[in-house]
Amino acid sequence: LAHPEVVRAGYEGVIRARYADAAYFYRHDTARSLESFTPRLATLTFHAKLGSMLDRVERLTRLAPQVAEMLGATPEQITTTLAAAELSKSDLVTNMVVEMTSLQGIMGEIYAVRQGEPPAVGQAIREQYLPRYAGDAVPQSLPGLALALADKLDSLAGLFAVRAIPTGSADPFGLRRAALGIVNSLLATETDFSVRAGLAAAAKLQPVPVSAEVLAEAAAFV
């Protein structure tokens, strides 16, 4: 580089501005509780036929504890799973995550613990998105695994039912990543779990009918 000090000063200016933005977003977000953001999820559409992100959270609060039971959870772990499911998507409408979407789940954990939720609840909120890519970490806690599986099973059952299925290289809802995430998480944690039973439980909560043929197709896809 001809003038490294000029380049460095330029980068520092950009980074300082970004950190200033982040500090501002954090102050505004933490001026209120994480659950107070939840109703705004009604303004985010998941899929026209499958409802909003708030509808999705309502499904997860019913599905995730069922998945936790299938995994052999203790009553305490089921309580943790339910609490995490209730707050699972609330950070999506916070200032920080709206501006920096890659922080979804990460800010959810930070904000949840900051407002007094048990660390295990925060951990499960973060772990629901794992693994995010090939070779990424998988959920380490049972509530996190239960919520991660429920999140992916809900997507697969609902989106296969409305025929939003990956074609060629097009996979707008990340269903290949969801299916791989289920498999990788179960293999990495050496967990015995019936994907078919999980999909059937998810299917019962969908706002659209999910036929036996669709369920079989989704299971075969996984």
Side-chain angles (χ1 to χ4, degrees):
L1 289 173
H3 301 284
E5 68 285 351
V6 176
V7 174
R8 186 174 68 230
Y11 278 125
E12 286 175 354
V14 172
I15 291 170
R16 280 200 192 93
R18 207 67 178 128
Y19 276 134
D21 286 346
Y24 173 82
F25 298 144
Y26 183 85
R27 281 197 306 275
H28 273 251
D29 288 344
T30 54
R32 50 193 283 201
S33 66
L34 183 58
E35 61 253 38
S36 73
F37 286 97
T38 307
R40 287 182 55 200
L41 291 170
T43 66
L44 293 183
T45 301
F46 173 57
H47 184 282
K49 295 180 180 176
L50 300 175
S52 68
M53 291 304 289
L54 184 60
D55 296 322
R56 192 142 192 265
V57 167
E58 286 168 2
R59 292 198 293 274
L60 290 177
T61 58
R62 296 168 67 188
L63 180 59
Q66 290 181 48
V67 172
E69 279 190 44
M70 293 177 189
L71 295 172
T74 64
E76 184 183 5
Q77 287 172 324
I78 291 171
T79 300
T80 297
T81 304
L82 174 59
E86 288 172 341
L87 294 171
S88 58
K89 307 296 180 187
S90 302
D91 69 342
L92 296 181
V93 286
T94 60
N95 293 289
M96 187 75 89
V97 177
V98 166
E99 287 294 324
M100 305 177 196
T101 53
S102 62
L103 294 179
Q104 63 180 14
I106 295 167
M107 296 315 300
E109 176 181 32
I110 291 168
Y111 291 159
V113 172
R114 189 181 186 278
Q115 72 177 29
E117 294 291 341
V121 171
Q123 181 179 351
I125 291 171
R126 172 174 49 80
E127 289 181 333
Q128 70 178 299
Y129 294 106
L130 300 179
R132 293 157 299 183
Y133 48 82
D136 192 19
V138 298
Q140 297 300 305
S141 69
L142 189 145
L145 179 60
L147 185 54
L149 291 172
D151 184 61
K152 294 165 179 62
L153 292 165
D154 175 78
S155 290
L156 286 160
L159 292 164
F160 264 77
V162 300
R163 313 316 291 161
I165 299 171
T167 54
S169 61
D171 185 13
F173 290 95
L175 290 182
R176 290 192 184 96
R177 187 172 68 244
L180 285 167
I182 290 171
V183 174
N184 289 336
S185 295
L186 295 175
L187 287 174
T189 56
E190 299 183 353
T191 299
D192 186 22
F193 178 79
S194 168
V195 173
R196 286 179 186 277
L199 284 167
K204 289 176 186 169
L205 300 172
Q206 298 302 316
V208 294
V210 185
S211 67
E213 292 77 18
V214 165
L215 271 182
E217 190 182 4
F221 179 76
V222 176

